[in-house]
Amino acid sequence: MTPKATLKRHADLLDRMADQVGVDLQQAAISGAVSLDQLSDAVLRCAECPDPACCARGLAGEGFGGKPPEFCRNREMLGRLRRISRGQS
């Protein structure tokens, strides 16, 4: 897979994971809850995952129970954005 294809794949996985946990990444960026640099870094962290196929299977199936899985390298960021989107700082 080319580097560009890898980044696109992981950007999609990150977006799908965010959707599953109730985070709209576009709205989070517009509101200033996350910067574009932070989103870029999140995609790069995702691309470093040793088993993206597990994530893809989980997202295609029953999901992860509304929370990122323990192995997710963006778990903390997604949790923070979820709390912000629910007004729970």
Side-chain angles (χ1 to χ4, degrees):
M1 193 176 295
T2 68
K4 183 177 179 179
T6 298
L7 291 176
K8 286 178 84 167
R9 176 182 187 204
H10 288 277
D12 178 62
L13 287 172
L14 175 62
D15 192 48
R16 290 170 50 207
M17 182 65 73
D19 285 345
Q20 187 195 79
V21 302
V23 172
D24 181 334
L25 291 177
Q26 183 176 4
Q27 185 58 42
I30 291 169
S31 73
V34 66
S35 71
L36 294 180
D37 283 343
Q38 290 169 319
L39 288 176
S40 295
D41 289 345
V43 171
L44 293 174
R45 277 191 301 276
C46 183
E48 293 172 348
C49 177
D51 194 3
C54 178
C55 187
R57 284 190 304 274
L59 291 168
E62 293 182 22
F64 297 101
K67 292 188 260 182
E70 291 292 327
F71 65 82
C72 181
R73 293 172 183 246
N74 289 301
R75 182 178 175 88
E76 185 178 311
M77 180 196 75
L78 291 170
R80 180 180 62 80
L81 292 175
R82 182 179 184 195
R83 287 188 301 277
I84 290 169
S85 72
R86 294 181 174 192
Q88 300 173 339
S89 296

